[in-house]
């Protein structure tokens, strides 16, 4: 690649930052495009851990690795940088105080080619770059084997799309064929009017007139019948394709990793599911209606040329005119459509978030505040819709203007031809009818690209989620055959951090044996819940080993491992259904099995207190249950499948003393068969367990029983003393 070609390629692929915090993301997005890939800054935001404080070189490194780059952070100087052939990301200091990221594309003609996300592509001398590149740190990237190019992704999209619509080919084929028949029959009006005016009426033959009207009526009735049959096929295709699209999309969605759901709003997911109808409509339109429009254009043009060659050429002027209008407005419409879809997703999210928080809103009398906020978000969405509507109105005006000029031109020219006796009146009427139909079809064909782009945006939004890497590959795992007998869980040198952040865990070492109940004790925010997320394989550690019965735990498939877990969280989610269904989480729960289990474990008395017992319906968001009741049902659900490892995250925080005592006694009774991990910041619970691991300053500082820690650990002792003083007061 010559210097000129390289500069052109850099300018073409360079991306400016969306806001002041996205400089690092823009650098990474630029390099993705430079190497032939495709991404967005918004997508990179979560993967790099970017916040309102920006991101770090570590965050960019982690995001680059996820994109399939071979990445490495280095320290260098100007001399090393001049020898660097491939682009690198530099950490610089602008105005001696503002941290910033830029891309260095190389050294040519005595200057460095720099891509500044806040400014553009520019050049720095050695002295200018040395003055701002104080850190001497850089991130070097090169595409690895897992890097996905735009060409490869386009191919994958095409394969997925064809997979989704392959079952529709027969129905779409029949609908297209019927459409062809309808378009041919649609020419009957023009032909009949020409024959009627030029031949039948002048001859005064009543018999021929009656026969012509009868044939014309039969053709129109046949056209109406075929249109009806075609509509039935299309309605069926619409139902089948929408069901298949949503089933495929939602099925893949559920297998995505937990961090995806943590960083994606519910409204965005719902909005993307709603995009399925856009895709289906365009599939039908392109596969059948466009076929009809093309045929109508060709046949109409043929008839017009047959009547008058000169008029035929005039009518063909509609093709470049309407084609130019479609090209002229294409990018604007696509950009506006994307903004409408994104703002619609934000509006959905705001509605859902507000309704879910209605209790807090009412508690603090903030109905008016949230009404204003939601209305502002909706108004922003409607402003985008309004902008798109104005764009469409403007486009339609020019289309109508062009159509009017065309029609006036055709009428004027054909009238002149009649006056010069080169054309008959009936032929003129037929031409005007054909030009009207042909003009509509040409407009439809010209505008098809805009509709196609709308569907493409919707498809890309769905594909972005559907093509995301699943949490694990669904295999032929047999729940009935797989058996794990957990005797010992060991964690060695475990380190974990969220993208772009400092370490949350540093060199965690602990073990839990069957028959033990251990507690992880620490302040709020020390990472106790995150540790349980790692043990559930919701989060991946940065380094370290987790060993099950002397073997690496990754030898157990994720689905198999989770089958042996029972989890009770502080904030319990119960589904809108019966208590029975929430305990079993099965398609057809066996009521006798559930009742027998509840009697054995002591939950039956608790459930019997509900008026409808096991058949009690739990409302959406469990609004008819107290926090303690939710946690009790969650305990029953966690123990129903006889887990080998029970994970409890502040699992009794909402319970009363009597219920909490019942749970502690139950755990001591069943722990001989399982291992139990409790995380809490409440020493009154920790003292009942066999061993307590204290988390301080990102590490496990000490482990022992309650009595030992009272003597040896100041943090634990002070927490317990506060509890004792609180009980006395």
């Amino acid at each position: 690649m010559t210097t000129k070609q390289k500069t052109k390629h850099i300018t073409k692929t360079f991306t400016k930052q969306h806001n002041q915090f996205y400089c690092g993301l823009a650098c990474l997005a630029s390099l993705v495009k430079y190497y032939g890939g495709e991404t967005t800054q918004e997508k990179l935001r979560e993967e790099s851990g970017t916040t309102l404080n920006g991101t770090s070189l570590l965050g960019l490194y982690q995001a680059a690795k996820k994109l399939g780059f071979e990445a490495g952070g280095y320290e260098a100087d100007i001399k090393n940088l001049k020898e660097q052939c491939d682009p690198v990301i530099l950490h610089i200091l602008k105005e001696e105080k503002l941290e910033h990221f830029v891309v260095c594309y190389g050294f040519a003609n005595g200057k460095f080619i720099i891509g500044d996300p806040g400014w553009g592509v520019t050049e720095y001398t050695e002295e200018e770059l040395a003055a701002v590149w104080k850190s001497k740190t850089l991130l070097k990237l090169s595409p690895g084997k897992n890097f996905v190019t735009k060409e490869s992704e386009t191919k994958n999209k095409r394969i997925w799309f064809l997979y989704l619509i392959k079952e529709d080919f027969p129905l779409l084929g029949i609908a297209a064929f019927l459409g062809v028949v309808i378009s041919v029959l649609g020419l009957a009006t023009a032909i009949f009017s020409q024959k009627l005016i030029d031949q039948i009426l002048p001859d005064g033959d009543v018999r021929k007139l009656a026969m012509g009207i009868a044939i014309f009526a039969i053709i129109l009735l046949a056209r109406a019948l075929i249109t009806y049959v075609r509509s039935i096929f299309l309605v069926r295709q619409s139902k089948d394709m929408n069901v298949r699209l949503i089933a495929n999309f939602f099925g893949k969605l559920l297998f995505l990793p937990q961090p995806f759901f943590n960083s994606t709003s519910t409204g965005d997911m719902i909005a993307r599911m709603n995009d399925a109808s856009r895709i289906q409509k365009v599939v039908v339109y392109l596969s059948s209606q466009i076929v009809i429009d093309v045929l109508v254009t060709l046949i109409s043009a043929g008839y017009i040329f047959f009547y008058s060659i000169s008029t035929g050429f005039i009518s063909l002027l509609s093709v470049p005119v309407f084609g130019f209008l479609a090209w002229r407005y294409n990018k604007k419409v696509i950009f506006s459509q994307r903004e409408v879809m994104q703002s619609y997703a934000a509006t959905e999210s705001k509605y859902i978030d507000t309704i879910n928080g209605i209790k807090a809103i009412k508690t603090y009398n903030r109905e008016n505040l949230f009404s204003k906020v939601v209305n502002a978000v909706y108004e922003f969405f409607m402003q985008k819709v309004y902008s798109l509507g104005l764009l469409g109105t403007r486009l339609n005006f020019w289309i109508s203007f062009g159509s009017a000029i065309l029609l006036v031109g055709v009428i004027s020219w054909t009238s002149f031809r009649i006056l010069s006796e080169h054309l008959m009146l009936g032929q003129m009427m037929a031409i005007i009818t054909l030009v009207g139909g042909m003009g509509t079809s040409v407009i439809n064909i010209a505008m098809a690209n805009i509709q196609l782009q709308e569907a493409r945006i919707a498809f890309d939004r769905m594909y972005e989620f559907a093509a995301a890497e699943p949490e694990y590959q669904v295999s032929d795992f047999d729940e009935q055959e797989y058996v794990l007998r957990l005797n010992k869980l060991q964690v060695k040198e475990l380190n974990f951090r969220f993208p772009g952040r400092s370490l949350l865990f540093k060199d965690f070492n602990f073990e839990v044996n069957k028959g033990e109940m251990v507690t992880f004790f620490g302040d709020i925010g020390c990472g106790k819940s995150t540790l349980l997320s790692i043990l559930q394989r919701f989060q991946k550690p940065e380094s370290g080993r987790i060993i099950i019965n002397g073997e690496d735990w990754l030898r157990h498939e994720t689905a198999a491992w989770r089958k042996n877990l029972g989890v009770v969280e502080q904030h319990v989610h119960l589904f809108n259904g019966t208590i029975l269904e929430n305990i079993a989480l099965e398609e057809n729960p066996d009521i006798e099995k559930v009742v027998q289990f509840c009697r054995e474990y002591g939950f039956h008395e608790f459930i019997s207190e509900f008026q409808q017992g096991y058949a009690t319906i739990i409302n959406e968001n469990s609004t008819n249950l107290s926090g303690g009741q939710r946690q009790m049902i969650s305990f029953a659900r966690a123990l129903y499948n006889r887990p080998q490892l029970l994970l409890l995250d502040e699992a009794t925080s909402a319970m009363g003393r009597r219920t909490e005592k019942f749970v502690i006694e139950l755990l001591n009774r069943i722990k001989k068969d399982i291992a139990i991990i409790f995380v809490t910041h409440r020493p009154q619970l920790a003292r009942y367990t066999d061993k307590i691991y204290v988390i301080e300053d990102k590490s496990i500082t000490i482990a022992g029983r309650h009595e030992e820690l009272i003597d040896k650990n100041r943090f634990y002792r002070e927490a317990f003393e506060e509890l004792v003083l609180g009980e006395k007061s």
Side-chain angles (χ1 to χ4, degrees):
M1 186 183 295
T2 64
T3 303
K4 186 176 180 181
Q5 290 174 325
K6 183 176 181 180
T7 303
K8 186 177 180 181
H9 182 62
I10 291 170
T11 305
K12 184 179 179 181
T13 58
F14 180 74
T15 303
K16 283 192 173 184
Q17 64 194 73
H18 289 174
N19 63 49
Q20 59 180 324
F21 311 111
Y22 278 24
C23 60
L25 305 185
C27 290
L28 189 53
S30 295
L31 290 187
V32 170
K33 291 182 179 180
Y34 180 86
Y35 287 111
E38 189 173 29
T39 190
T40 63
Q41 294 179 42
E42 190 59 35
K43 183 179 178 182
L44 295 175
R45 181 177 64 82
E46 292 297 334
E47 294 177 345
S48 62
T50 299
T51 66
L52 293 179
N53 295 319
T55 189
S56 62
L57 209 61
L58 172 63
L60 295 179
Y61 167 84
Q62 292 172 321
K65 296 288 285 185
K66 291 177 183 177
L67 290 169
F69 279 109
E70 297 292 335
Y74 301 94
E75 287 190 359
D77 54 27
I78 293 293
K79 181 181 177 182
N80 301 136
L81 196 59
K82 288 170 66 175
E83 297 170 353
Q84 180 63 41
C85 299
D86 298 321
V88 295
I89 297 176
L90 304 181
H91 177 255
I92 67 172
L93 205 61
K94 297 186 73 173
E95 300 175 6
E96 305 207 351
K97 58 180 179 179
L98 298 175
E99 294 189 64
H100 193 56
F101 290 102
V102 297
V103 180
C104 178
Y105 288 98
F107 187 77
N109 302 322
K111 291 186 177 181
F112 289 99
I113 303 172
I114 299 295
D116 187 330
W119 176 259
V121 180
T122 184
E123 293 181 337
Y124 278 39
T125 63
E126 293 183 41
E127 294 76 17
E128 287 172 335
L129 185 60
V132 295
W133 189 34
K134 303 285 189 182
S135 67
K136 305 302 180 192
T137 58
L138 61 84
L139 182 64
K140 184 178 179 181
L141 306 176
S142 60
K145 62 179 181 179
N146 294 324
F147 181 77
V148 180
T149 63
K150 185 177 180 179
E151 181 181 349
S152 175
E153 185 161 301
T154 301
K155 180 181 177 182
N156 292 336
K157 287 179 182 178
R158 185 163 53 247
I159 292 171
W160 189 58
F161 179 69
L162 292 175
Y163 167 76
L164 290 176
I165 68 168
K166 66 179 181 181
E167 294 182 28
D168 295 299
F169 287 156
L171 285 177
L172 291 174
I174 293 171
F177 172 74
L178 293 179
V180 171
V181 176
I182 291 169
S183 64
V184 172
L185 294 178
L187 298 174
T189 302
I191 297 171
F192 178 72
S193 63
Q194 185 264 319
K195 298 296 182 185
L196 181 67
I197 295 171
D198 291 342
Q199 297 179 16
I200 299 175
L201 292 179
D203 291 346
D205 190 334
V206 177
R207 182 173 172 276
K208 187 183 290 186
L209 176 63
M211 185 177 295
I213 291 174
I215 294 172
F216 182 57
I218 291 171
I219 290 174
L220 291 181
L221 289 173
R223 187 168 183 264
L225 179 62
I226 294 171
T227 302
Y228 169 72
V229 173
R230 179 174 178 270
S231 297
I232 292 175
F233 278 110
L234 292 179
V235 168
R236 177 181 167 187
Q237 185 273 338
S238 173
K239 174 186 73 79
D240 291 347
M241 184 175 179
N242 281 330
V243 168
R244 193 164 54 253
L245 267 173
I246 294 300
N248 187 282
F249 175 76
F250 197 70
K252 289 179 179 293
L253 198 67
L254 293 180
F255 281 96
L256 295 182
Q258 182 63 36
F260 166 85
F261 294 95
N262 296 342
S263 61
T264 306
S265 69
T266 306
D268 191 18
M269 288 184 269
I270 293 173
R272 296 189 191 222
M273 282 194 285
N274 291 338
D275 288 341
S277 61
R278 299 174 188 264
I279 299 170
Q280 184 274 330
K281 288 176 183 176
V282 173
V283 166
V284 172
Y285 180 76
L286 293 178
S287 61
S288 57
Q289 188 60 45
I290 285 298
V291 174
I292 297 172
D293 288 326
V294 170
L295 282 171
V296 167
T297 301
L298 293 176
I299 296 172
S300 298
Y303 267 100
I304 294 170
F305 272 98
F306 174 75
Y307 291 132
S308 171
I309 293 176
S310 57
T311 309
F313 281 114
I314 293 174
S315 65
L316 285 181
L317 287 174
S318 62
V319 175
V321 170
F322 294 135
F324 171 77
L325 285 174
W327 172 82
R328 180 73 176 78
Y329 281 88
N330 185 46
K331 286 186 178 180
K332 294 179 181 178
V333 171
I334 291 171
F335 178 77
S336 190
Q337 285 171 338
R338 189 179 294 276
E339 284 198 323
V340 167
M341 291 183 189
Q342 290 173 345
S343 57
Y344 171 68
T347 305
E348 286 266 340
S349 298
K350 198 64 184 177
Y351 277 131
I352 292 169
D353 184 53
T354 303
I355 296 300
N356 286 340
I358 191 63
K359 190 174 181 180
I361 293 171
K362 288 185 173 296
T363 299
Y364 295 101
N365 296 321
R366 293 294 186 269
E367 290 91 341
N368 289 332
L369 171 63
F370 279 86
S371 177
K372 289 179 182 178
V373 170
V374 171
N375 285 340
V377 173
Y378 184 72
E379 187 176 344
F380 178 77
F381 163 59
M382 290 310 299
Q383 182 62 41
K384 298 299 180 184
V385 174
Y386 172 71
S387 299
L388 179 60
L390 281 182
L391 200 60
T393 301
R394 202 175 302 129
L395 176 57
N396 287 332
F397 166 76
W398 286 113
I399 288 173
S400 300
F401 183 81
S403 299
I405 295 296
L406 176 67
L407 190 57
V408 169
V410 169
I411 291 175
S412 301
W413 177 250
T414 52
S415 297
F416 173 76
R417 298 285 290 173
I418 288 174
L419 293 176
S420 61
E421 298 183 354
H422 289 96
L423 200 67
M424 299 177 70
L425 180 60
Q427 291 175 331
M428 175 187 172
M429 297 305 296
I431 288 173
I432 291 172
T433 304
L434 290 170
V435 167
M438 177 182 168
T440 302
S441 294
V442 170
I443 291 170
N444 289 340
I445 294 168
M447 297 298 106
N449 185 54
I450 291 177
Q451 295 198 42
L452 177 62
Q453 295 304 327
E454 178 184 359
R456 196 198 70 166
I457 294 169
F459 177 78
D460 286 347
R461 282 164 54 81
M462 289 189 72
Y463 180 80
E464 183 182 348
F465 286 1
E469 189 68 27
E471 190 175 19
Y472 57 87
Q473 297 297 329
V474 182
S475 64
D476 298 326
F477 162 65
D478 189 334
E479 290 193 20
Q480 303 300 322
E481 293 184 3
Y482 178 82
V483 177
L484 171 67
R485 293 287 179 259
L486 177 66
N487 294 315
K488 178 177 286 191
L489 166 69
Q490 296 171 287
V491 174
K492 297 184 177 182
E493 306 295 324
L494 185 74
N495 292 285
F496 175 82
R497 76 175 86 225
F498 289 105
R501 312 284 178 83
S502 60
L503 281 173
L504 183 62
F505 301 154
K506 184 177 180 182
D507 297 331
F508 265 31
N509 290 280
F510 65 87
E511 68 175 49
V512 184
N513 297 298
K514 177 182 177 180
E516 281 186 340
M517 180 162 55
V518 305
T519 292
F520 285 87
F521 180 85
D523 254 339
I524 295 172
C526 71
K528 304 183 298 296
S529 298
T530 303
L531 176 61
L532 297 192
S533 291
I534 292 173
L535 293 177
Q536 293 174 76
R537 294 191 182 175
F538 291 159
Q539 302 282 1
K540 293 182 179 180
E542 184 174 282
S543 61
R545 297 178 62 205
I546 300 178
I547 302 168
I548 306 295
N549 298 339
E551 297 179 337
D552 191 312
W553 79 325
L554 294 179
R555 294 187 60 180
H556 302 272
E557 293 186 19
T558 298
W561 169 247
R562 288 182 184 159
K563 176 181 179 291
N564 291 278
L565 298 181
V567 182
V568 182
E569 297 179 317
Q570 181 178 6
H571 304 291
V572 174
H573 181 83
L574 299 178
F575 298 95
N576 183 204
T578 64
I579 290 178
L580 174 74
E581 293 166 339
N582 272 276
I583 292 174
L585 290 184
E586 296 171 344
E587 189 173 354
N588 297 301
D590 185 337
I591 187 168
E592 292 184 3
K593 180 182 176 183
V594 174
V595 172
Q596 182 182 352
F597 156 78
C598 288
R599 289 184 185 277
E600 179 183 347
Y601 280 78
F603 294 109
H604 182 72
E605 182 180 343
F606 161 75
I607 296 173
S608 297
E609 292 177 1
F610 290 95
Q611 189 171 1
Q612 302 297 323
Y614 294 89
T616 300
I617 297 291
I618 298 174
N619 294 345
E620 185 179 1
N621 296 324
S622 311
T623 54
N624 57 334
L625 300 180
S626 69
Q629 288 173 323
R630 295 177 205 173
Q631 287 185 329
M632 280 291 282
I633 294 172
S634 182
F635 258 104
R637 179 165 67 190
L639 295 172
Y640 178 68
N641 288 317
R642 320 281 176 168
Q644 293 291 299
L645 177 62
L646 185 62
L647 305 177
L648 307 175
D649 185 359
E650 302 283 7
T652 63
S653 59
M655 294 181 182
R657 291 187 177 225
R658 183 174 66 88
T659 312
E660 188 173 70
K661 181 182 178 183
F662 161 79
V663 168
I664 296 297
E665 290 174 351
L666 173 63
L667 294 177
N668 279 309
R669 178 160 57 90
I670 65 173
K671 74 176 184 180
K672 64 180 185 299
D673 300 316
I674 63 175
I676 302 173
I677 296 179
F678 214 128
V679 302
T680 186
H681 65 283
R682 302 163 65 205
Q684 64 264 46
L685 294 177
R687 60 181 170 179
Y688 294 116
T689 55
D690 300 306
K691 184 184 288 186
I692 303 167
Y693 290 93
V694 178
I695 302 175
E696 295 179 275
D697 299 323
K698 305 179 182 181
S699 301
I700 295 175
T701 55
I702 192 171
R705 293 185 64 84
H706 171 73
E707 294 76 12
E708 297 175 60
L709 297 184
I710 290 292
D711 294 332
K712 297 179 180 179
N713 186 262
R714 179 182 175 183
F715 171 61
Y716 184 82
R717 181 173 62 253
E718 288 179 349
F720 186 70
E721 288 172 351
E722 288 176 9
L723 169 67
V724 174
L725 291 174
E727 289 179 345
K728 288 181 179 180
S729 62

